[in-house]
Amino acid sequence: MRDSEKEDVLELLNHKIKPGESARVNFNTAKLYTTTAVEVPILIERSINPGPTILITGGIHGDEIAGVEVVRQLISKGINKPKRGTIICIPVVNVFGFLNLKREFPDGRDLNRMFPGSKTGALASRFAYQFTHEILPHADFCMDFHTGGSTRYNAAQIRVQEGDEDIFELAKIFNAPFTVFSKTIAKSYRGACAKLGKPILLFEGGKSLENDKTISKYGVDGVMRILKHFDMLQGNFEVSEPDFTNILIKKSQWMRAKYSGLLHVKIPIGKFVEKGEYIAIITDPYGSFRHKVRASNTGYIINVNQSAIVYQGDAIFHISKN
């Protein structure tokens, strides 16, 4: 990784931040109907020692609270104060969605499908354009934190594009319980980073509208390992060795409900199951129907639908197929 601080002053959104300084910069995106400005706070910590710039983001989907919590803890604990270089934290990228506890922007669009955006497009597209042109160019390396959508609970995982060996090595350093080969989605933030040559680690863990201490710990510990790798972690922090072995998931498939009804999950997330193993029950509300759900193949359960009620055809388990 190159050192990005060849110039002493970091100029971000018309603010100048010198080495050794801290700053809170507001990214003004749009106004509410009441003309009240909606601002996205950006927290910048710079060391006096030159080094790379790392951009850490959460809340691209406004209802993914666990991702926000990871970035919040980094700031609260002072982990974002680098030994060298610069750390830029944006705990809540999609403030609109966060205020409404919704995944999307007020225009109904998914911000993570709008990159690199358009200067004259819809609100989410304009935001993506500003972000891509005014914030992302300052970063040498990015980490982005997400959760499962709706009722789907993701096992803690780093998603990487298969064949990207540099990112794969960083994923091993981050050391979440799972590393999952996942194709980069068109117009996603990860896709925009790839096109600009910005390495990025995408973390997924937990589910939307829920805070989870275990998921937060996986995220915070992983960031600390990455910062230590880049010699950016302050000496007063200790990086603990995980009590698990990272598992690589090369292929996976969804199991879908064969019947509609009440779903009763019988296994924990992350469990290794054998083909045919009993993993859930689907019942009707009246006590007359009971269907045992059995694993479609041998593998790890990396996502569980935690909805109490499912319809026939709903995705209920995501299982590895290595």
Side-chain angles (χ1 to χ4, degrees):
M1 181 181 290
R2 68 181 178 85
D3 283 357
S4 64
E5 299 181 346
K6 293 180 180 178
E7 298 179 1
D8 289 337
V9 178
L10 171 65
E11 294 192 30
L12 181 66
L13 299 173
N14 299 318
H15 289 75
K16 296 182 178 181
I17 306 104
K18 297 178 181 179
E21 289 186 342
S22 304
R24 174 172 169 152
V25 174
N26 287 322
F27 182 24
N28 298 300
T29 57
K31 294 183 178 180
L32 301 175
Y33 299 126
T34 58
T35 72
T36 302
V38 175
E39 297 178 334
V40 177
I42 302 173
L43 290 90
I44 303 136
E45 295 286 348
R46 302 197 70 199
S47 170
I48 59 172
N49 303 308
T53 295
I54 292 183
L55 173 61
I56 305 175
T57 50
I60 281 182
H61 294 130
D63 60 352
E64 295 185 356
I65 310 302
V68 175
E69 174 63 12
V70 170
V71 187
R72 184 202 70 81
Q73 287 193 26
L74 296 174
I75 298 165
S76 176
K77 295 176 180 180
I79 297 168
N80 67 320
K81 297 179 183 294
K83 178 180 174 182
R84 71 182 190 110
T86 299
I87 297 178
I88 302 172
C89 287
I90 311 179
V92 188
V93 175
N94 179 2
V95 169
F96 286 105
F98 188 73
L99 291 172
N100 296 317
L101 295 178
K102 292 185 179 298
R103 178 183 180 88
E104 302 85 5
F105 252 59
D107 58 9
R109 290 171 170 84
D110 183 341
L111 176 61
N112 207 28
R113 300 295 183 272
M114 302 303 295
F115 285 89
S118 167
K119 193 174 184 179
T120 58
L123 179 61
S125 183
R126 292 182 184 216
F127 181 93
Y129 179 88
Q130 287 181 278
F131 190 98
T132 302
H133 288 81
E134 298 184 38
I135 298 173
L136 194 51
H138 295 285
D140 297 311
F141 175 67
C142 306
M143 287 182 277
D144 188 32
F145 291 85
H146 289 259
T147 75
S150 187
T151 58
R152 296 180 181 178
Y153 189 105
N154 274 326
Q157 60 193 256
I158 291 288
R159 295 185 180 176
V160 301
Q161 178 76 41
E162 186 174 6
D164 191 333
E165 293 301 323
D166 291 338
I167 292 297
F168 182 59
E169 289 303 314
L170 289 170
K172 288 194 289 186
I173 292 167
F174 189 102
N175 204 9
F178 295 96
T179 297
V180 179
F181 282 161
S182 170
K183 292 182 179 179
T184 301
I185 298 173
K187 296 186 178 181
S188 66
Y189 174 47
R190 180 159 64 127
C193 287
K195 288 183 178 180
L196 292 173
K198 308 287 184 181
I200 180 170
L201 287 178
L202 170 62
F203 176 90
E204 290 270 358
K207 67 178 181 180
S208 61
L209 296 177
E210 187 173 283
N211 231 337
D212 189 303
K213 291 181 179 179
T214 301
I215 294 297
S216 298
K217 188 173 188 330
Y218 285 136
V220 171
D221 287 352
V223 171
M224 291 174 65
R225 293 186 195 104
I226 291 291
L227 294 180
K228 183 178 180 181
H229 172 73
F230 290 129
D231 194 28
M232 295 176 70
L233 186 66
Q234 294 281 5
N236 56 313
F237 292 104
E238 292 186 7
V239 182
S240 60
E241 290 299 321
D243 57 358
F244 56 85
T245 301
N246 174 265
I247 298 164
L248 174 62
I249 307 295
K250 295 181 179 180
K251 294 181 180 179
S252 59
Q253 68 177 17
W254 281 100
M255 274 187 64
R256 296 188 177 274
K258 293 183 179 180
Y259 302 95
S260 301
L262 283 67
L263 177 65
H264 311 267
V265 175
K266 299 299 182 181
I267 56 166
I269 188 74
K271 186 179 189 297
F272 182 82
V273 297
E274 299 287 347
K275 182 178 180 179
E277 184 174 338
Y278 163 46
I279 57 177
I281 298 173
I282 296 176
T283 67
D284 69 358
Y286 311 108
S288 59
F289 172 79
R290 187 174 186 270
H291 167 71
K292 283 189 174 183
V293 178
R294 298 186 181 277
S296 59
N297 59 279
T298 298
Y300 289 94
I301 303 291
I302 58 173
N303 182 286
V304 173
N305 189 338
Q306 294 186 338
S307 175
I309 299 173
V310 295
Y311 283 101
Q312 186 179 36
D314 283 355
I316 51 175
F317 294 102
H318 200 186
I319 308 182
S320 67
K321 286 184 64 179
N322 290 5

